[in-house]
Amino acid sequence: MRALRSIFAKALALLACVSIAAQPVAAQSILRDAETEALLNDMAAPLIEASELEPGNVELVLINDGSINAFVAGGQAVYVHAGLLNAADTANEVQGVIAHELGHITAGHVVRFEERTKAANGITILSLLLGVGAALAGAGDAAMAAMMAGQQAALGSFLSFNRNQEAATDLAGARYLSGAGISGRGMISFFEKLRNFEIRRGYSQADDAAYMRTHPLSGDRVQTLRVLLEEDAAWDVPDDAALQERFLRAKAKLYGYLAEPRRTLTYFPPSDTSVPARYARAYAYHKDARVDLALAEADALLALEPENPYFLELKGQVLLESGRPMEALEPLRRATELSRAHPLIAGIFGHALIATEDEANFAEAERVLRAAVARDRYNPFAWYQLGVVYAARGDIPRARLASAEQLVMNRRYPEALQNAQAAEASLPYGSPDWIRAQDVALEARAELERLRDRR
């Protein structure tokens, strides 16, 4: 029995290998920034058109992860890691990655991935049953051999399927770049970066090393794509200079926001007076509580472009988060106007109005925040601030509804359900807010049931 338990334990561990490999990337922190989201959407727009997907159905999402990666996971959302933007040198390189990911969407690879996972698990379970039968018959070595062979077959089938998907998607991405009139130079140069990264990390580039990989060898991908892309009419099309400048700004901004201030100031020393460098330093100084220096960088940016909504947002954010909300109102109000009330910028403006603790500003805060969540319901920060406004004026049912909206987006389903039910009980029967409270309660309840079923 001890030997049988050992075989079971090893078999279950092997089964977990495929199960874990099949889990989609989830529960990662999403970064929201109006400027970066606008950039990603503009970079993707011609590629989405070339792929014949509906533009309004494709979403670009930035993930707070330092690894060099992008992926699709359900629906038509492309998730881009912050580390990928940091590793890329050009907007064209990022477009090459986006084109590749769109290929996964058009080919329905997420659904097929799940189907293949079930097939791989089926092979593993069958080998487990055969092994158990052999073990019960007293053939312990034969049992382990049967299970190992089955696991090897399952994992090999699963990895081969993934590699075939990736190779096909590379070609689809090349077609979308061509259809959009965008050069494939960026796709090639980014895959070369991946190959160099693999070599530095000691990953073998030998042909037989491809067997235990989910992606084709980067060298093979470069060789295949180069022949195809260099013959395309768009190969010599120059990069979009305006898009490249926006990319460098967003990349520096993101670096300043995420990296330690010391590293940012080393990479972007004060002697560098370019816009991206000033952007990065402003966030580094702000994180380091060096408010005057952060404001000096923001003012230098505004001297170059006084009507840039993102520079105004930066200055307002520094003032607000440094305890000077009254001074933050002017730049944030102007940023909201210039960005046509972008929900993320409007949310910060609403927060500043509330932070003044002047009740005369609360009516404007409510208007701004309601407009923000109407355009972007998935904005937990704006919902939280709206709840503060409702609570301040004594409208507890709507305050609880706003809290429920925010809580369900933060996966705090028990509290979300409790707040939604309390809001529904007190809101006018049949009103839009009453209906919405029911919807949030249903969503929270469904998620709680799903989590219980997984246990």
Side-chain angles (χ1 to χ4, degrees):
M1 288 301 295
R2 182 178 300 171
L4 183 59
R5 283 197 299 269
S6 175
I7 291 170
F8 264 121
K10 292 177 180 177
L12 291 173
L14 292 171
L15 176 60
C17 290
V18 172
S19 299
I20 291 170
Q23 295 299 322
V25 180
Q28 292 174 292
S29 174
I30 293 175
L31 290 172
R32 300 294 311 273
D33 174 65
E35 183 175 16
T36 306
E37 288 181 3
L39 170 67
L40 289 173
N41 288 332
D42 288 346
M43 285 197 292
L47 297 166
I48 293 171
E49 182 179 354
S51 71
E52 298 184 352
L53 291 166
E54 287 294 327
N57 294 338
V58 180
E59 185 179 10
L60 278 293
V61 182
L62 183 62
I63 298 291
N64 185 8
D65 190 310
S67 61
I68 305 172
N69 194 24
F71 62 94
V72 295
Q76 295 188 9
V78 177
Y79 295 85
V80 179
H81 285 203
L84 188 146
L85 296 185
N86 189 51
D89 291 317
T90 66
N92 186 229
E93 289 184 348
V94 180
Q95 285 180 306
V97 174
I98 293 173
H100 171 92
E101 298 304 328
L102 291 175
H104 281 302
I105 294 175
T106 56
H109 282 168
V110 173
V111 175
R112 295 179 63 199
F113 178 89
E114 293 172 355
E115 292 172 352
R116 196 67 182 188
T117 299
K118 291 178 182 177
N121 280 336
I123 296 172
T124 307
I125 291 168
L126 177 60
S127 66
L128 173 61
L129 294 175
L130 290 173
V132 170
L136 292 174
D141 291 341
M144 198 62 206
M147 287 184 286
M148 288 292 291
Q151 174 62 28
Q152 189 76 357
L155 190 57
S157 172
F158 177 75
L159 295 174
S160 174
F161 172 72
N162 275 6
R163 290 194 300 273
N164 290 337
Q165 277 192 337
E166 292 296 330
T169 305
D170 286 346
L171 299 180
R175 288 198 306 272
Y176 302 152
L177 287 165
S178 176
I182 297 172
S183 174
R185 292 190 307 273
M187 178 178 269
I188 296 297
S189 63
F190 197 80
F191 279 147
E192 287 177 338
K193 280 187 174 69
L194 291 181
R195 179 173 58 180
N196 292 336
F197 177 83
E198 290 170 352
I199 292 171
R200 289 199 304 273
R201 292 296 186 275
Y203 299 149
S204 174
Q205 298 297 298
D207 290 341
D208 58 357
Y211 178 76
M212 294 302 292
R213 295 165 57 104
T214 60
H215 288 61
L217 292 167
S218 294
D220 294 340
R221 302 173 85 172
V222 170
Q223 183 177 357
T224 301
L225 285 169
R226 186 182 294 279
V227 173
L228 181 66
L229 290 169
E230 285 185 349
E231 294 177 353
D232 186 72
W235 176 260
D236 291 321
V237 171
D239 290 350
D240 185 322
L243 200 64
Q244 176 65 10
E245 174 61 23
R246 290 173 61 193
F247 168 72
L248 293 175
R249 292 181 181 193
K251 177 181 174 179
K253 177 183 189 178
L254 189 63
Y255 190 88
Y257 178 76
L258 294 175
E260 289 296 321
R262 175 179 53 81
R263 292 188 63 185
T264 302
L265 296 174
T266 299
Y267 196 74
F268 296 100
S271 58
D272 185 347
T273 59
S274 66
V275 168
R278 289 192 181 280
Y279 227 162
R281 286 199 301 272
Y283 278 95
Y285 288 139
H286 180 43
K287 286 177 65 176
D288 218 16
R290 299 160 75 178
V291 179
D292 290 344
L293 290 174
L295 289 174
E297 296 290 1
D299 285 335
L301 292 171
L302 285 167
L304 296 171
E305 300 177 26
E307 298 291 89
N308 185 310
Y310 308 121
F311 294 167
L312 288 161
E313 177 194 20
L314 168 63
K315 182 173 183 177
Q317 183 180 357
V318 171
L319 289 167
L320 172 61
E321 295 175 0
S322 301
R324 296 154 67 175
M326 286 298 296
E327 296 176 60
L329 294 184
E330 181 181 349
L332 288 175
R333 181 179 281 112
R334 185 59 181 150
T336 302
E337 293 169 354
L338 290 169
S339 67
R340 299 180 182 178
H342 189 287
L344 295 178
I345 296 176
I348 299 175
F349 177 41
H351 176 37
L353 288 164
I354 296 168
T356 64
E357 299 182 355
D358 184 348
E359 292 187 5
N361 290 326
F362 283 17
E364 183 180 8
E366 181 181 351
R367 288 195 304 273
V368 168
L369 292 167
R370 283 188 71 93
V373 297
R375 289 181 57 188
D376 181 4
R377 184 165 288 278
Y378 298 99
N379 189 341
F381 179 77
W383 278 116
Y384 176 80
Q385 297 301 324
L386 192 55
V388 171
V389 173
Y390 287 141
R393 76 177 193 199
D395 190 346
I396 302 304
R398 286 182 175 80
R400 300 202 74 161
L401 174 57
S403 293
E405 296 270 15
Q406 178 247 336
L407 289 164
V408 80
M409 278 179 267
N410 287 325
R411 300 187 180 88
R412 295 169 59 183
Y413 301 118
E415 299 108 303
L417 178 59
Q418 182 182 18
N419 277 276
Q421 289 175 329
E424 180 187 347
S426 301
L427 288 164
Y429 180 84
S431 67
D433 285 336
W434 180 84
I435 294 171
R436 181 58 192 167
Q438 283 191 325
D439 291 344
V440 175
L442 286 171
E443 182 181 352
R445 191 178 292 111
E447 288 295 333
L448 287 170
E449 291 174 358
R450 185 180 64 82
L451 291 171
R452 279 195 296 269
D453 290 343
R454 289 176 58 185
R455 292 195 182 107

